[in-house]
Amino acid sequence: MANNLINNSIITREALMIRRNTNDYVQNVNREYQAQFARTGAKIGDTINVRLPNDYVVQDGPTVNPEATAERSIPLTISYRKNVPMSFSTQERTMNIDDFSERYIAPAVNALVGQVAMDAMTMALSASNMVLNTDDTGNLIAPSSNTWLRAKAILTACNAPLDDRYAVLDPMTDANTVSGMMGMFNPTGQISRQTVDGQMGSKILGVRGWMQDQTVIISQTGSYDGTGTATGTYGNYTPNGAPVTTISASASPHSSVISTSALSGTLKQGDVITIAGVNRINRVNKSSLHILQQFVVLADVASGATSIPVSPAIIPPSGTGPVPYQTVDAAPAAGAAIKLVAPAGSVIRRNLLYSKRAMTLATVDLEMVDRGVVDCGRASLDGISLRTLTYYNGSDDTRATRLDVLYGFGMLRPDWAVVVPELVE
């Protein structure tokens, strides 16, 4: 009887098929920039700059005042390398592929893709919007249909595309959301899925897909007591934390640093704050929406600190009117109160409603190794590139196999993502 050897190409394809059924969130983020990396291999740290759409201001009358076009971009860096090592005997590698998949490939892929998803989920810490559901006494409670509709309205106000919105929920939030909205929806098929499967269906409340994922971030908000105020000074924020005192075309389009009075209590990365008198605008016509603009804190801030790094960047109008890339209707005034959106010290599940184009993920083909190894396979499915490599260890007469993925991600539009928190009790 002929041997039924399982080569690495079979392992790779089988692993990718299992991955397809493992994580919806990883499948539903933008991938359009992946092709710009070398398909035959890339070095960790390779970066491309993703251009953001240009922003212009409409002028009145027949006379024009030409504006310089200042393009802005966000870096996408391939900086993550993860692997799962496995060791097989010759007998194990000749087993039926179904048993092999169940016993070895499935657990390995689940661990590997779970780590990719967990890394990608950290992008939720850059989401600059938050919508709460509270009871009559202000306590944070599970999201309702109204909560999700208000979150969707914020995406629309931020000019996020209407056709590619997704929600990713912690399993407990998913259960509470389904329980709270069960029976509300038509057509009958959607009600059936909620009742039979016990989870949110697709295309409900204008959301294209609802996903539950155990890698949804659970975090605790800072202890800041809400007594701090702005000093009226702000500038751009760079990754090393150094403030820049002027807004320039070459500066980060996403972040600013706000000078404040000494803060009482801490702020945590991912906390969302507001500044009195600083409102959202319609990003197209630059008119004020008369709703406080929300800002996400980009790094932990210690008690007693006098500055807060935030996103989006604070870009107010000039003295003559609207400006390109404007984000708010006014700069922070001296003495303006700074408030946390979520209650201080709350442990929350950071469920997310987002536009698929808010964030991007890229995986890169690792080199096919043909010397010094027993076998090497590489394949791509749904934009995820995976390589498997088997090598011989003469010291104990075994063959070891490793699954590798090389990837990077970036938050392109923090305002196209909304955190919908639920209190962990």
Side-chain angles (χ1 to χ4, degrees):
M1 182 176 180
N3 289 329
N4 181 26
L5 293 175
I6 302 174
N7 63 35
N8 276 46
S9 294
I10 295 174
I11 294 174
T12 307
R13 289 195 299 269
E14 185 72 10
L16 285 169
M17 289 302 297
I18 293 171
R19 183 212 62 80
R20 170 176 273 175
N21 298 321
T22 301
N23 190 280
D24 291 332
Y25 172 65
V26 170
Q27 296 179 52
N28 288 299
V29 295
N30 180 282
R31 296 289 174 73
E32 64 183 287
Y33 305 103
Q34 181 161 294
Q36 298 185 39
F37 291 96
R39 300 302 298 168
T40 58
K43 297 178 181 179
I44 293 178
D46 280 359
T47 300
I48 61 171
N49 289 314
V50 179
R51 285 195 186 101
L52 298 179
N54 289 316
D55 191 48
Y56 295 99
V57 174
V58 176
Q59 300 179 4
D60 290 323
T63 303
V64 298
N65 180 21
E67 299 175 357
T69 297
E71 289 192 325
R72 296 186 170 190
S73 63
I74 296 296
L76 169 58
T77 302
I78 301 299
S79 55
Y80 292 83
R81 171 77 177 272
K82 298 293 166 64
N83 69 80
V84 175
M86 298 178 287
S87 182
F88 305 111
S89 68
T90 303
Q91 178 178 338
E92 288 165 338
R93 287 182 63 87
T94 59
M95 291 170 59
N96 179 277
I97 186 66
D98 293 333
D99 292 339
F100 188 84
S101 296
E102 181 179 350
R103 294 179 59 186
Y104 301 105
I105 299 178
V109 171
N110 186 57
L112 186 60
V113 175
Q115 186 61 59
V116 175
M118 187 176 298
D119 290 336
M121 196 66 75
T122 61
M123 287 188 283
L125 293 173
S126 299
S128 61
N129 298 303
M130 180 177 284
V131 173
L132 310 180
N133 188 27
T134 57
D135 60 20
D136 293 338
T137 58
N139 296 313
L140 187 61
I141 57 176
S144 66
S145 58
N146 179 262
T147 317
W148 293 106
L149 287 170
R150 286 188 291 122
K152 189 184 73 166
I154 286 181
L155 290 184
T156 302
C158 293
N159 300 316
L162 299 174
D163 61 346
D164 66 350
R165 298 176 181 183
Y166 293 85
V168 56
L169 288 70
D170 177 272
M172 187 62 70
T173 305
D174 184 79
N176 292 335
T177 301
V178 170
S179 176
M181 295 193 283
M182 188 174 291
M184 292 176 58
F185 305 110
N186 283 310
T188 305
Q190 298 291 4
I191 300 175
S192 176
R193 178 178 177 184
Q194 288 179 207
T195 304
V196 175
D197 296 341
Q199 65 183 54
M200 295 294 291
S202 59
K203 202 59 178 177
I204 294 175
L205 300 179
V207 178
R208 184 171 180 176
W210 295 78
M211 303 163 282
Q212 59 171 300
D213 196 306
Q214 62 268 42
T215 63
V216 166
I217 293 174
I218 297 177
S219 64
Q220 185 171 18
T221 58
S223 60
Y224 170 61
D225 65 1
T227 61
T229 58
T231 65
T233 303
Y234 67 98
N236 283 338
Y237 178 73
T238 58
N240 63 7
V244 180
T245 56
T246 59
I247 301 290
S248 66
S250 61
S252 168
H254 279 347
S255 52
S256 289
V257 60
I258 308 166
S259 295
T260 68
S261 62
L263 301 179
S264 177
T266 62
L267 290 170
K268 295 295 185 180
Q269 181 185 5
D271 283 350
V272 178
I273 63 172
T274 59
I275 308 170
V278 181
N279 294 319
R280 294 183 184 275
I281 62 165
N282 181 307
R283 291 295 185 90
V284 175
N285 61 28
K286 310 298 190 283
S287 62
S288 177
L289 298 178
H290 301 283
I291 300 170
L292 288 178
Q293 172 67 52
Q294 295 182 340
F295 300 92
V296 62
V297 178
L298 297 175
D300 289 354
V301 178
S303 181
T306 56
S307 63
I308 308 171
V310 298
S311 176
I314 297 175
I315 306 178
S318 70
T320 58
V323 298
Y325 302 105
Q326 184 178 327
T327 57
V328 294
D329 67 351
I338 299 171
K339 300 294 184 182
L340 265 173
V341 173
S346 301
V347 179
I348 56 173
R349 303 180 179 99
R350 301 183 68 90
N351 309 291
L352 197 65
L353 179 66
Y354 66 96
S355 163
K356 187 173 183 178
R357 281 166 272 189
M359 56 195 78
T360 191
L361 170 70
T363 63
V364 180
D365 287 346
L366 282 162
E367 180 184 2
M368 290 288 288
V369 182
D370 57 5
R371 292 188 179 184
V373 300
V374 176
D375 194 11
C376 186
R378 187 180 68 202
S380 180
L381 180 65
D382 296 336
I384 294 288
S385 179
L386 178 71
R387 187 191 69 182
T388 59
L389 186 148
T390 297
Y391 51 96
Y392 180 70
N393 187 346
S395 62
D396 59 3
D397 194 28
T398 60
R399 288 183 176 184
T401 295
R402 56 183 294 165
L403 282 69
D404 284 83
V405 61
L406 175 64
Y407 59 99
F409 53 82
M411 178 65 89
L412 304 180
R413 292 294 302 265
D415 55 334
W416 286 3
V418 184
V419 175
V420 182
E422 181 184 31
L423 187 67
V424 177
E425 297 179 300

